[in-house]
Amino acid sequence: MHFHIVTLFPEYFDSPLGCGLIAKARENDILDVSRINPREFTRDRHRTVDDRPYGGGPGMVMLLDPLVQALNELPAGCRKVLLTPKGKPMDQPLAASLAGETDLALICGRYEGIDARLEELFDLDLVSVGDFVLNGGEAAALCLMEAVARFLPGFLGKQESAGEESFSRGMLEYPHYTRPEEYAGLKVPDVLLSGDHGRIAAWRRQRSLENTFRMRPELLAGRLLSHEDLDFLKGLQRTRPGRNLYLALVHHPVKNKTGQDSTTSLTNLDIHDIGRVCATYGLGGYYLCTPLKDQQVLARRLLWHWREGPGAQANPDRARALQGVEVVASLNDAVEKAAGLTGRRPRIVATSAAATGDIDCGEVLQCLRKSPVLMVLGTGYGLSDSVIQEADNLLAPLRLLGGYNHLSVRSAASIIVDRILGDLA
Ligand code: ADE
C-alpha cells in the first residue's frame, strides 16, 4: 500500500516514519510513503500557500492552486482523505476499509483550513480523529496511517493480534499482566495463572464486556450478544446510573391554558405508562405529586388494586411496573423521599417544552454517575415558573427545532429517559 501525504511540513513525519513497525514495514515493502509539499507547486517569489479569508476574520486559508496541482500528481484511482475536525469520526471499520486501497492520499490542512472549493473539485473523504482541534492535519494523518497499517498483511508480528485489539470486536480490551506475579502487594488474577484456557477466555470476555459497559456503553447498544454475555451484563447493571434517576409528575403548581398557576387532576394513563417506563429502565422511583386529598386517595386505591388487589392476580406484570410509584403531596415531599432513599439531596432538574435549558441529557447522565437526580415533569400546560426557578437545572427541550411541540407528558417522559440512559446506562 502506498500512502501519499500532502503536507506543508514533510519533515514533521521524519521520526514517526523512521522508527518502529512503520519503518520495518517500509523496509519490507509492506508499505510505501511519499510526501508531497503543495509549496513545490507555487510560482511566486514568496512561494505563497495561504491568503486572508474572504469576509474577514482571523487566520489564513490555504490557497487552492498549489493544492490542486499537488493532488493532480497523485496516481489514477488514488483515494483521497482530507483530515479535518468536521470529518467522519475515524474508527476501526474505516481503518480496515482504507487498508484495502492501493494508493491512499492523506491531505493535511494548516492554518484556519483549506479553501472550501477543494471539496467541489475532488472526491474527498473527510475524516476527523476526534472532537478537538489540532494545529493541522499532520498529527491526525499519523494516527490514521498507523491504524490503517495495522491491517496490512505482515505489518504485525503475529496476525492474530489485530483481531484481539480494543475495538476490533467492537469492544474495549481486557486488561493484560506480565511478570512479576506480585508487585507492591498487587497480584495477577489467579485465573490467568491457572493454565485453564477455557476459564481464561471466559474471564477475558467478561473483563472486555465490563470495561466497555463502564467506559463506552454506547458500543454495546444494538450488538448481538450471547445469553452468557447478557446475564453477565445484567449483573453489572445493578450498579448502573439509572438507579439514581427519579421522576416526579407534578399536578400543582402547573400552568393552565392562560398561563396562571393551577392544579390538574391525575391521569390514569400517566400513572401506568410512566410507571412502566420507570420499571423498564430500572429507575429509582416515580413520585405522583398532588396536594388534593381526594386525588391522593384515588391514586393510592388504584395502586393498591394493581399491586395487591384483584389486578395483581390478573396482571402480575402490571404490579411490577407500579411497584416504584409513590403518591406525595408536593414536589418537596418527593425531594425528601428520594433523599431518604439515597442519603443525598437529589439534583432537581425541571423540564419544559419552551426553548431554553441549561443542561442536556448527556450532562444529566454524567450527574447520575455521581449522585441522584430528580427529573420534574409538569402536567397541564407545564410546570409553573416558580418550580422552574427553584430547580437546580432546566433540561433542554425536546424537538428544539420542531414547529409542533405538544407531546403528552408520558411520551416526553419516555423520550427523556431514553435520551439520558439509552439501552445500557
Ligand atoms: N485537523 C485539525 N484537527 C483535526 C482533527 N481533530 N481531526 C482531523 N484533522 C484535524
Side-chain angles (χ1 to χ4, degrees):
M1 164 164 208
H2 195 140
F3 287 102
H4 306 263
I5 308 175
V6 181
T7 171
L8 293 172
F9 297 97
E11 66 282 9
Y12 185 98
F13 295 87
D14 287 348
S15 159
L17 292 176
C19 63
L21 289 181
I22 296 257
K24 211 161 133 202
R26 292 175 73 202
E27 275 161 30
N28 295 336
D29 290 330
I30 291 167
L31 66 86
D32 202 353
V33 185
S34 27
R35 289 170 262 184
I36 310 167
N37 188 345
R39 206 179 286 280
E40 304 294 331
F41 299 90
T42 54
R43 277 175 290 243
D44 64 315
R45 201 152 55 90
H46 300 292
R47 313 193 74 190
T48 313
V49 287
D50 61 345
D51 207 337
R52 284 170 315 200
Y54 279 120
M60 301 289 270
V61 177
M62 279 177 78
L63 288 170
L64 271 178
D65 192 59
L67 274 168
V68 168
Q69 291 198 57
L71 297 192
N72 283 339
E73 293 290 300
L74 295 168
C78 177
R79 186 160 167 187
K80 298 171 197 64
V81 167
L82 172 65
L83 283 310
T84 163
K86 71 174 179 182
K88 175 181 180 332
M90 181 70 195
D91 60 12
Q92 201 66 354
L94 180 57
S97 126
L98 294 174
E101 301 291 335
T102 311
D103 287 285
L104 183 64
L106 305 178
I107 306 162
C108 308
R110 275 273 152 177
Y111 314 118
E112 281 308 300
I114 291 176
D115 188 311
R117 287 167 291 183
L118 194 74
E119 292 170 42
E120 294 176 58
L121 292 167
F122 292 91
D123 183 12
L124 305 176
D125 285 317
L126 273 51
V127 176
S128 162
V129 295
D131 288 340
F132 43 79
V133 181
L134 300 164
N135 287 340
E138 282 76 8
L142 275 177
C143 283
L144 184 147
M145 195 161 48
E146 203 163 297
V148 171
R150 295 172 65 81
F151 281 96
L152 300 177
F155 183 88
L156 294 171
K158 275 199 291 152
Q159 199 48 45
E160 76 255 35
S161 22
E164 286 283 296
E165 300 294 324
S166 282
F167 293 119
S168 275
R169 291 157 301 139
M171 292 203 290
L172 303 186
E173 227 182 345
Y174 51 80
H176 298 281
Y177 300 86
T178 186
R179 268 179 274 275
E181 269 182 46
E182 187 173 337
Y183 186 84
L186 299 171
K187 288 189 177 158
V188 172
D190 284 343
V191 58
L192 298 179
L193 309 173
S194 69
D196 181 336
H197 295 297
R199 272 183 64 216
I200 293 173
W203 182 88
R204 286 182 165 162
R205 175 86 188 162
Q206 291 192 345
R207 296 292 74 72
S208 191
L209 282 164
E210 187 170 358
N211 283 345
T212 314
F213 178 78
R214 298 215 186 282
M215 306 302 292
R216 300 285 306 277
E218 76 280 8
L219 294 176
L220 291 172
R223 273 180 70 94
L224 290 174
L225 295 165
S226 68
H227 288 300
E228 287 81 22
D229 288 346
L230 288 171
D231 285 344
F232 177 71
L233 287 171
K234 276 183 194 157
L236 291 181
Q237 276 223 322
R238 284 188 204 109
T239 57
R240 75 209 183 293
R243 266 263 161 262
N244 257 344
L245 182 59
Y246 293 78
L247 297 186
L249 184 66
V250 172
H251 296 82
H252 174 89
V254 290
K255 286 185 192 155
N256 66 13
K257 217 182 256 181
T258 57
Q260 286 155 331
D261 280 1
S262 68
T263 307
T264 53
S265 301
L266 296 170
T267 310
N268 195 26
L269 278 174
D270 290 339
I271 301 176
H272 281 263
D273 288 0
I274 298 178
R276 290 161 78 171
V277 169
C278 291
T280 305
Y281 286 79
L283 304 196
Y286 168 31
Y287 301 105
L288 287 172
C289 312
T290 176
L292 303 178
K293 288 278 182 306
D294 67 319
Q295 293 274 291
Q296 291 173 9
V297 170
L298 192 65
R300 290 196 178 106
R301 178 157 157 59
L302 184 129
L303 290 172
W304 173 85
H305 172 85
W306 289 106
R307 292 201 293 221
E308 290 138 62
Q313 313 290 319
N315 193 347
D317 209 42
R318 196 52 64 94
R320 262 186 74 197
L322 296 176
Q323 219 57 53
V325 188
E326 199 167 339
V327 183
V328 293
S330 66
L331 180 57
N332 268 347
D333 287 358
V335 173
E336 307 247 305
K337 293 262 181 194
L341 287 174
T342 60
R344 304 173 70 171
R345 180 189 172 275
R347 175 186 288 268
I348 301 168
V349 179
T351 56
S352 160
T356 48
D358 62 0
I359 193 167
D360 64 29
C361 290
E363 288 165 331
V364 173
L365 178 59
Q366 296 312 318
C367 296
L368 288 171
R369 294 194 191 284
K370 291 179 244 130
S371 50
V373 171
L374 181 65
M375 185 66 61
V376 187
L377 303 153
T379 55
Y381 285 76
L383 292 171
S384 83
D385 293 339
S386 62
V387 175
I388 294 177
Q389 274 150 22
E390 279 163 33
D392 298 303
N393 293 102
L394 178 62
L395 189 72
L398 300 170
R399 304 300 299 162
L400 180 61
L401 305 178
Y404 185 85
N405 199 358
H406 303 280
L407 286 165
S408 69
V409 69
R410 56 192 174 279
S411 294
S414 310
I415 295 166
I416 289 169
V417 169
D418 191 73
R419 280 195 190 169
I420 295 171
L421 298 175
D423 226 6
L424 286 148

